[in-house]
């Protein structure tokens, strides 16, 4: 103990803080689909599937969060191949759609002259971060899941999805089920019948059929948006290269001290991307921008 101006002051002590990265269990995990097309699940299982139409690549019901991909003929004269011509990402009540094809076909390609991008939200505050740099897109969901895709030769060349801890044993779709042990044995988890070893049965189950109107994201007005009469629709190229301050990365104490505990005994924290963004406010925005999407939005 030292005396300074008649006051007692304790000597400074150096304390260490242990930081626990919960996301480390998902290091190097990546689901990918690349033309024409090939797939890799979150747990590293590779497979080929050449279906056409709208498919669920990723879904997590806690948002809900969805990533749907649109596949059509590559038009290269090679029978049976398909390429990615659209992506739709839902984050709660926000929907981002990018489409490059006018219609879906098994044998021909019907590409749009320019990409059409739609961002739809139920209020002025989006539930996702969107970064676009020279047609290389990165979209981050509130739970930390990252979706990246690139446009090349008038198709989407690759879609990559990096899972978060909130996706472990919760996400499903063509990307499979991410596990802490990186076990690919349960990756082929079908929509209805659960686990299977048959690639076609698994992948076919995640196709959005014409009568699944409540699940479609590539149509003029998805069902979940119709429930909100004040939906905001903006049309054009999304170009936001600034990080969204509402998507926070933060740390929390692994254990909280009680009223009689010493805070000095609680020096371990967990840091990870979690559901930290606030819900949209009740104030809705509206836009007068209109267009006829029915020709190309319906698969």
């Amino acid at each position: 103990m030292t005396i300074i101006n008649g006051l007692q002051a304790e000597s400074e002590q150096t304390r260490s803080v242990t930081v626990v990265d919960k996301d480390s269990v998902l290091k190097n995990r990546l689901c990918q689909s690349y033309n024409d097309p090939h797939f890799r699940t979150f747990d590293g299982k590779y497979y080929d599937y050449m279906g056409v139409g709208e498919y669920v690549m990723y879904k997590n019901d806690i948002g809900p969060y969805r990533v749907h991909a649109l596949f059509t003929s590559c038009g290269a004269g090679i029978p049976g191949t398909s390429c990615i011509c659209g992506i739709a990402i839902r984050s709660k009540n926000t929907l981002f759609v990018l489409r490059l094809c006018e219609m879906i076909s098994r044998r021909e390609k019907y590409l749009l002259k320019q990409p059409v991008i739609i961002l739809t939200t139920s209020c002025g505050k989006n539930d996702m971060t969107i970064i676009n740099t020279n047609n290389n897109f990165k979209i981050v969901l509130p739970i930390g899941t990252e979706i990246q895709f690139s446009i090349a030769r008038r198709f989407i060349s690759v879609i990559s999805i990096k899972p978060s801890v909130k996706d472990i044993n919760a996400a499903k779709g063509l990307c499979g089920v991410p596990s802490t042990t990186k076990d690919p044995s349960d990756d082929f988890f079908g929509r209805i019948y659960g686990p299977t070893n048959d690639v076609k049965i698994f992948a076919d189950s995640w196709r959005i059929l014409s009568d699944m109107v409540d699940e479609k994201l590539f149509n003029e007005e998805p069902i979940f948006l119709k429930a909100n009469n004040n939906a905001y629709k903006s049309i054009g190229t999304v170009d936001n290269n600034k990080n969204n301050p509402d998507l926070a990365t933060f740390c929390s104490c692994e254990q909280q001290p009680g009223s009689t505990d010493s805070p000095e005994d609680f020096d371990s924290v967990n840091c990870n991307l979690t559901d930290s963004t606030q819900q949209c406010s009740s104030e809705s925005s509206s836009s007068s921008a209109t267009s006829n999407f029915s020709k190309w939005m319906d698969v």
Side-chain angles (χ1 to χ4, degrees), residues 21-260:
D21 184 2
K22 286 187 175 181
D23 294 304
S24 62
V25 70
L26 294 172
K27 184 178 180 180
N28 299 325
R29 302 289 189 92
L30 202 65
C31 166
Q32 286 187 313
S33 175
Y34 48 96
N35 297 328
D36 53 342
H38 311 285
F39 294 86
R40 182 178 72 176
T41 67
F42 288 127
D43 289 341
K45 192 168 189 173
Y46 289 86
Y47 66 97
D48 296 330
Y49 177 77
M50 281 67 178
V52 297
E54 179 179 354
Y55 287 83
V56 179
M57 282 195 65
Y58 159 92
K59 65 172 291 188
N60 190 326
D61 292 332
I62 65 173
Y65 305 109
R66 303 282 188 272
V67 178
H68 290 195
L70 201 59
F71 297 90
T72 190
S73 169
C74 298
I78 304 175
T81 61
S82 59
C83 289
I84 310 168
C85 69
I87 184 170
I89 302 171
R90 177 185 176 183
S91 177
K92 300 179 181 178
N93 290 320
T94 296
L95 178 65
F96 171 93
V97 178
L98 184 147
R99 184 159 178 162
L100 300 165
C101 53
E102 182 177 353
M103 64 179 68
I104 299 301
S105 172
R106 166 52 73 187
R107 298 184 178 182
E108 303 292 336
K109 62 178 180 180
Y110 300 93
L111 300 180
L112 296 165
K113 292 182 179 180
Q114 294 292 333
V116 176
I117 301 175
I118 299 175
L119 178 63
T120 309
T121 182
S122 61
C123 62
K125 188 174 181 180
N126 297 334
D127 289 313
M128 60 178 73
T129 299
I130 303 172
I131 301 172
N132 173 22
T133 306
N134 300 323
N135 286 330
N136 296 300
F137 288 81
K138 178 179 179 180
I139 295 179
V140 185
L141 305 181
I143 56 175
T145 303
E146 297 181 5
I147 303 100
Q148 297 189 52
F149 61 94
S150 302
I151 299 175
R153 298 180 180 179
R154 301 181 70 186
F155 283 109
I156 295 175
S157 58
V158 60
I159 297 175
S160 301
I161 305 176
K162 181 181 178 182
S164 70
V165 292
K166 294 292 182 96
D167 292 317
I168 296 175
N169 297 322
K172 295 180 178 65
L174 294 179
C175 284
V177 182
S179 62
T180 55
T181 58
K182 204 174 181 179
D183 178 14
S185 64
D186 63 348
D187 280 0
F188 287 174
F189 194 94
R191 179 201 298 266
I192 300 174
Y193 301 110
T196 178
N197 292 321
D198 190 300
V199 174
K200 189 176 186 306
I201 292 176
F202 159 71
D204 283 351
S205 74
W206 290 110
R207 187 181 182 202
I208 302 297
L209 302 177
S210 58
D211 59 344
M212 297 178 178
V213 292
D214 58 333
E215 296 189 55
K216 285 185 175 183
L217 296 183
F218 289 99
N219 56 6
E220 187 172 1
E221 189 176 12
I223 293 296
F224 80 92
L225 291 176
K226 288 184 178 180
N228 191 324
N229 296 326
N230 295 319
Y232 167 86
K233 181 172 289 184
S234 62
I235 308 164
T237 301
V238 178
D239 193 355
N240 175 17
N241 292 313
K242 295 182 180 180
N243 290 330
N244 188 338
D246 295 319
L247 186 65
T249 305
F250 65 89
C251 301
S252 60
C253 292
E254 186 173 34
Q255 292 180 316
Q256 295 291 339
S259 58
T260 59

